[in-house]
Amino acid sequence: MKVGVLALQGDVREHISSLITCGVDPVAVRRSAEIDVIDALVLPGGESTTIAQLSEVFGIYEQLKNRIAEGMPVYGSCAGMILLANEILDAKQGQKSFGGLDITVRRNAFGRQVDSFESDLTFDDGSPDLIRAVFIRAPWVERVGEGVQVLASVDKHPVAVRSQTMLATSFHPELTGDHRIHRYFIEEVARPALEKVK
Ligand code: GLN
């Protein structure tokens, strides 16, 4: 499985190391030809407006939007979650997302209370173990559409959600050295979705 990590801005390297431990072949992507050949994509944490703008500068905005809409498996962490959301609250004026995931997110939602924090969460993947979650000016989810499953929450606010082909977390598993979320994306989201297409 060839997994791209969108390398326009944000913590690309950390996602690449997490993916390597999951036994896939990650590659940093920013050009159209590179995106053409990936099977799945990770959108890193960073700054969602910057990543969206740079995707237009690199001429890959429409291509990414289309591939996601066509069902390429995608995982977005933090800014990546915002980029996958169909609707963004507290967006910058004119802020675009790739969309495809039927959720409404509020940008910097925790940021108004506490800028950054860590928490141990239950993650609904069948394991009783808590997962260490790092939040940095993180969004939370205010609405989930039909077919979107909530996998983790903080104070009733969903912070990890999935649909058939997409996974999004408000937090940054790439920063903790715990690769459970990346493994979940590869084994439970991407692999089944790609097998179905074959
Ligand atoms: N607040 C950032 C944004 O709106 C996301 C922060 C992050 O990815 N750590 O894009």
Side-chain angles (χ1 to χ4, degrees), residues 109-120:
F110 294 102
R112 283 169 300 165
Q113 300 162 23
V114 273
D115 222 27
S116 303
F117 64 100
E118 295 189 22
S119 183
D120 291 315

Side-chain angles (χ1 to χ4, degrees), residues 9-11 15 43-52 75-85 88 95-98 105 107-108 136-139 168-172 174:
Q9 190 262 342
D11 59 352
H15 278 287
L43 301 174
E47 223 292 320
S48 54
T49 55
T50 307
I51 296 173
Y75 166 46
S77 73
C78 202
M81 171 189 258
I82 299 168
L83 288 162
L84 289 178
I88 309 171
Q95 176 170 0
K96 281 185 167 180
S97 68
F98 302 122
V105 295
R107 275 184 80 213
N108 303 329
I136 305 166
R137 293 184 62 73
T169 63
S170 305
F171 51 90
H172 293 269
E174 72 278 14

Side-chain angles (χ1 to χ4, degrees), residues 3-177:
V3 184
V5 178
L6 187 62
L8 295 172
Q9 190 262 342
D11 59 352
V12 176
R13 243 181 317 161
E14 291 80 355
H15 278 287
I16 289 191
S17 343
S18 296
L19 289 165
I20 288 172
T21 65
C22 298
V24 292
D25 176 21
V27 56
V29 293
R30 62 174 74 79
R31 302 195 187 281
S32 177
E34 295 164 343
I35 294 161
D36 268 343
V37 296
I38 55 174
D39 302 307
L41 178 69
V42 172
L43 301 174
E47 223 292 320
S48 54
T49 55
T50 307
I51 296 173
Q53 277 167 6
L54 284 172
S55 75
E56 294 194 291
V57 172
F58 276 72
I60 53 174
Y61 173 79
E62 290 295 332
Q63 183 188 12
L64 287 170
K65 194 180 165 82
N66 291 339
R67 285 222 54 197
I68 294 168
E70 287 159 8
M72 171 176 63
V74 192
Y75 166 46
S77 73
C78 202
M81 171 189 258
I82 299 168
L83 288 162
L84 289 178
N86 278 355
E87 195 181 0
I88 309 171
L89 303 175
D90 291 338
K92 252 195 197 162
Q93 211 184 352
Q95 176 170 0
K96 281 185 167 180
S97 68
F98 302 122
L101 185 56
D102 188 17
I103 57 171
T104 302
V105 295
R106 186 174 294 281
R107 275 184 80 213
N108 303 329
F110 294 102
R112 283 169 300 165
Q113 300 162 23
V114 273
D115 222 27
S116 303
F117 64 100
E118 295 189 22
S119 183
D120 291 315
L121 306 178
T122 44
F123 182 71
D124 195 6
D125 61 353
S127 161
D129 297 338
L130 297 178
I131 195 153
R132 187 87 182 144
V134 178
F135 294 84
I136 305 166
R137 293 184 62 73
W140 68 40
V141 177
E142 296 214 350
R143 181 194 62 86
V144 293
E146 225 172 285
V148 178
Q149 183 192 353
V150 174
L151 298 171
S153 300
V154 170
D155 298 337
K156 305 231 162 74
H157 300 292
V159 293
V161 293
R162 73 161 290 180
S163 69
Q164 203 87 0
T165 56
M166 292 185 225
L167 174 68
T169 63
S170 305
F171 51 90
H172 293 269
E174 72 278 14
L175 300 181
T176 59

